[in-house]
Amino acid sequence: MGEFFSKLLDTSDFPARWHCGNWSDGHGWLHIASDVAVFLAYMAIPIVLAFFIIRRRDLPFPRIFWMFVAFIAFCGLSHLVEAYIFWNPIYRVSAVLKLFTAVASWATVAGLLRVMPRAVYWRSPEQLEREVEARTRELEDNRAELHRVNLDLTHANEDLQQFARFISHDLQSPLRAIGAFVDILRERLDDSMEQEDVEYAEHITGGVERMKALLQDLLLYTRTERTGRMEWIDLGSVTRSLVEGIQVASAGTSPTVEYGDLPRVFAHEVGIRQVLQNLVENAVKFSGSSPARIHISGRTTEEAWEIAVRDEGIGLDTRYAKRIFEPFQRLHLREEYEGTGIGLSIVRKIVQIHGGEIHVESSPGQGATFTFTIARPTDNDTSGGSA
Amino acid sequence: MKIIPSVLLVDDDVSDLVLCELTLGRTKRFPRTFRARTGEQVLALFTRAAQSSDPPPEPFPPDLMFVDVHMPAMTGLELVDELLRLRTAAIVPVLPPIVMLSASLDPREEARAVAHPAVLEYMAKPMRVDAANRLADRLGREIGS
C-alpha cells in the first residue's frame, strides 16, 4: 500500500495507452475526443448546479444537490484522466480518482434513498399555489360569513336596546296610569268601600308594584352586557370595599364576611363587583335566623380563576340548583323572601361574559356555596396595551 | 244542576287565588274551595291523608284540582309528576282530575301540560265563568235543582 502511494505519479511500470495495443489514429482520437467532450459537459453541469444551489436559498434538500455536484465532477475528471493516459499512463492516479468517484456516487445513492420518502410528498409550486388559492377562497368565505354574523349581532343589539327603551318607557306608562287611577278611586270611594273592595284594590296596587319591580329588573338584566374594558383588578381590594359598604349599610345585624387571599384577575371591574355583591347579598338574604356568616375564597387553575362564596344559611334543594340562575326564577313565596329573582341571573350573565361558569352546591339547612370562574386570558388578550 | 263539592286551588300568587275563588263562586257550583301555595304543601296534604288511618279532614280529598304551572321551586308540572308517582306507587289511592292554569302565552307550555297523563285540561288565566261552568257540567255530581 505504501509503495502504491509513493509511486502514485510514477508511470514507469506501464506503457502509455497509444503504445499499448494496435490503435488506429481514428480509433484512438475517437476515445480521446469523446472523453474530453464528456469531461467538459460533466464539469459544466456541476458549475451550473452549484450556481443554482447558491442562488436558490429555498431549494429543498440542498445537500443532495451538492452530492450531485461532487459525483458528476468526479465522473468528469475520470474521463479527462482516461484521455490523458493515451500519453501519460498515470494508472495509479486514475484508480484513486475512480475510488473517489465510486464513494461520491454511493454517497449520493444513500442520500437519495434517505430523502426519497420526503421528496415524494414534496409539493410542487403549482400544488402550493392551488392550495393557497383554496385557502384564500375559504378565508374570503369566512370573512363574508363573519361580516354577516356581525351585522346580525348589530341588529340584535339594536333590537335589544330598543327593547330596553320599550321596557323603560312604553310599558311603564300604562302601569303608572293603572296605579294612579286606582289610588284616586280608593280615595274617592274611601267611605263607601266594603272590606272586600279594599282588598281587591290592594291586589291591584300590589300587582302594579310587582310589575314595576319586574320591569325594572328586566331592564337591569337586559342592560347587563359587555361594556367597559377588561383590566387587571385586585379581587382582594374589590371585596374589601364591598364588605365595608355592606357593614356600613347594615349596622347592627352586620353580616360577617371572611376572605382569604384573592387573586388578581383580568376582568370588568364593575361586572365582577356586581357578581360579588349579588352573591353576598343573596347569602345575607337567605341567612336564616342568625346573622349571615360568609366566606369568600379564590384559587387559580390553569385555565381560570375560581371564586367561591360560601354561606351557612338556609341552603336549597339541589333539584332546583340550575333553575335559580334563570331570570325571575324563585324558590320561595313572595311573602317569605322579597325580590323578583333577577339577582343570580345577572350574576350568571356577567360570569358568562367573562368566559366563566357558575354553579351552586348546597343542601337544605346546610348553607350554600356558589362557585364561579373567570377565564384566564391568553397573552394576546392582555398585551393589547391600554385598549 | 251539577256541582263539584270540593276543589283544591294550588297557586303561589294570592291575587290569582282570590280571582279564581271569585270566578268559581260566581257559578255557585263549587261550594268548597281550599288553597295550597306550593307543590310541597300539596304533596304533604296527600301523603299525610294517605298515611293516616283516620278519615281525612274535610274538604280533603278534593274532587278537582286547579294547579298553577308557574310556582317557585316545584313547578305545577313537577307537582303533577310527583302526584302521579305517588298514585302509581299506590301510596295515594286516587288522584282527582287536574286542571292546569297558566298566564303564559307560550303555546308549547299548553302542549306540554295537556300531554301529561294526569292532566285533564289546560286553562289560560284568568279562568272564565263559562269555562268553570263547563267543567262542572263535565265532572260534577247531580244534585236536586
Side-chain angles (χ1 to χ4, degrees):
Chain A
M1 191 50 102
E3 189 198 346
F4 176 86
F5 282 108
S6 63
K7 294 169 80 177
L8 191 61
L9 294 173
D10 183 356
T11 58
S12 59
D13 293 338
F14 318 103
R17 194 168 273 163
W18 273 127
H19 310 297
C20 176
N22 212 359
W23 292 97
S24 69
D25 272 3
H27 187 186
W29 280 106
L30 183 59
H31 268 283
I32 294 163
S34 301
D35 274 332
V36 170
V38 170
F39 159 71
L40 289 174
Y42 277 20
M43 291 317 283
I45 292 173
I47 290 169
V48 174
L49 255 184
F51 178 74
F52 174 65
I53 300 166
I54 290 166
R55 293 296 295 264
R56 281 301 295 262
R57 286 274 163 221
D58 60 339
L59 200 67
F61 319 116
R63 280 177 52 192
I64 276 293
F65 281 88
W66 282 117
M67 285 172 167
F68 272 109
V69 167
F71 126 71
I72 296 170
F74 276 124
C75 284
L77 284 174
S78 301
H79 282 277
L80 182 67
V81 168
E82 287 302 310
Y84 185 62
I85 281 174
F86 273 82
W87 294 278
N88 199 355
I90 45 171
Y91 280 109
R92 292 192 181 85
V93 171
S94 160
V96 169
L97 200 54
K98 280 184 178 165
L99 174 68
F100 283 164
T101 308
V103 168
S105 306
W106 276 106
T108 309
V109 171
L112 265 179
L113 286 176
R114 228 186 45 212
V115 302
M116 192 50 63
R118 275 184 297 149
V120 165
Y121 294 107
W122 189 261
R123 283 168 298 179
S124 69
E126 289 79 17
Q127 243 174 322
L128 282 174
E129 212 164 288
R130 273 200 301 277
E131 272 172 44
V132 168
E133 262 173 36
R135 292 270 163 83
T136 310
R137 260 200 308 279
E138 225 170 83
L139 264 179
E140 273 166 8
D141 288 353
N142 284 352
R143 222 175 44 189
E145 174 70 11
L146 253 181
H147 183 67
R148 207 183 53 71
V149 170
N150 203 17
L151 265 185
D152 283 355
L153 272 178
T154 310
H155 289 318
N157 203 34
E158 278 166 10
D159 281 352
L160 204 64
Q161 292 309 320
Q162 203 175 356
F163 183 61
R165 277 197 297 277
F166 170 69
I167 295 170
S168 54
H169 179 259
D170 303 57
L171 285 185
Q172 300 274 9
S173 38
L175 201 57
R176 263 197 303 278
I178 297 171
F181 280 109
V182 170
D183 286 347
I184 292 170
L185 274 182
R186 282 174 79 171
E187 271 172 37
R188 286 170 63 104
L189 299 176
D190 193 25
D191 302 332
S192 56
M193 269 169 101
E194 306 264 334
Q195 179 54 37
E196 274 183 344
D197 301 331
V198 173
E199 199 186 304
Y200 297 158
E202 272 164 9
H203 279 293
I204 301 178
T205 311
V208 167
E209 290 306 319
R210 258 171 59 213
M211 188 71 174
K212 271 188 199 161
L214 282 169
L215 290 179
Q216 230 161 45
D217 286 352
L218 184 58
L219 192 61
L220 212 60
Y221 182 76
T222 312
R223 287 194 171 152
T224 303
E225 53 185 299
R226 207 178 297 260
T227 50
R229 65 196 183 99
M230 303 274 270
E231 57 194 342
W232 284 102
I233 54 175
D234 180 13
L235 266 192
S237 63
V238 169
T239 308
R240 191 177 326 116
S241 73
L242 188 76
V243 169
E244 281 163 6
I246 289 169
Q247 273 157 352
V248 168
S250 57
T253 60
S254 136
T256 318
V257 185
E258 292 167 354
Y259 55 98
D261 279 343
L262 294 173
R264 277 170 62 77
V265 300
F266 192 70
H268 295 289
E269 178 162 2
V270 177
I272 291 304
R273 182 183 291 272
Q274 181 84 62
V275 166
L276 285 172
Q277 181 164 342
N278 285 17
L279 287 177
V280 168
E281 280 174 1
N282 197 65
V284 171
K285 181 170 167 185
F286 296 105
S287 58
S289 46
S290 49
R293 295 182 62 85
I294 301 160
H295 313 261
I296 303 176
S297 58
R299 68 190 193 99
T300 305
T301 69
E302 208 160 288
E303 286 120 31
W305 294 288
E306 196 177 281
I307 319 298
V309 179
R310 178 162 60 86
D311 66 57
E312 299 171 6
I314 62 169
L316 59 103
D317 189 331
T318 40
R319 265 189 299 179
Y320 310 125
K322 272 222 164 65
R323 205 177 291 168
I324 58 173
F325 298 108
E326 302 289 332
F328 303 120
Q329 287 287 339
R330 307 160 36 85
L331 296 185
H332 302 277
L333 292 171
R334 269 198 302 281
E335 57 266 35
E336 292 173 335
Y337 292 100
E338 285 186 345
T340 60
I342 202 72
L344 289 178
S345 68
I346 287 177
V347 165
R348 184 181 66 172
K349 200 169 173 184
I350 296 171
V351 168
Q352 284 173 341
I353 286 171
H354 286 82
E357 287 169 359
I358 183 162
H359 71 274
V360 61
E361 285 162 67
S362 177
S363 51
Q366 301 297 310
T369 305
F370 288 84
T371 309
F372 67 93
T373 56
I374 302 170
R376 288 177 64 186
T378 58
D379 290 343
N380 287 347
D381 297 334
T382 55
S383 62
S386 60
Chain B
M1 186 174 72
K2 285 181 171 176
I3 66 152
I4 298 180
S6 167
V7 175
L8 173 58
L9 305 174
V10 188
D11 202 318
D12 61 299
D13 189 312
V14 180
S15 296
D16 283 355
L17 284 171
V18 170
L19 263 180
C20 198
E21 285 163 355
L22 278 174
T23 307
L24 295 178
R26 283 168 67 190
T27 65
K28 297 188 167 33
R29 301 171 73 176
F30 299 84
R32 304 195 67 172
T33 59
F34 60 117
R35 300 174 175 183
R37 300 287 304 286
T38 65
E40 283 82 358
Q41 285 176 10
V42 176
L43 290 180
L45 269 175
F46 273 85
T47 43
R48 213 181 309 133
Q51 282 158 2
S52 152
S53 52
D54 307 328
E58 285 286 326
F60 198 89
D63 302 297
L64 175 66
M65 275 174 76
F66 288 100
V67 177
D68 178 28
V69 173
H70 296 275
M71 292 189 288
M74 187 181 293
T75 67
L77 279 177
E78 284 168 348
L79 167 62
V80 177
D81 276 342
E82 281 297 307
L83 286 174
L84 188 61
R85 200 179 57 75
L86 291 178
R87 172 71 193 86
T88 314
I91 296 168
V92 166
V94 64
L95 281 188
I98 295 171
V99 175
M100 303 300 295
L101 285 174
S102 171
S104 169
L105 302 175
D106 184 353
R108 286 172 302 183
E109 189 182 289
E110 174 169 2
R112 260 203 308 279
V114 295
H116 197 287
V119 171
L120 179 73
E121 64 177 273
Y122 176 95
M123 278 187 189
K125 279 184 183 179
M127 193 201 310
R128 292 157 51 105
V129 172
D130 58 345
N133 271 321
R134 197 168 37 74
L135 263 182
D137 286 339
R138 181 173 167 195
L139 302 172
R141 243 177 259 169
E142 196 65 56
I143 55 157
S145 53

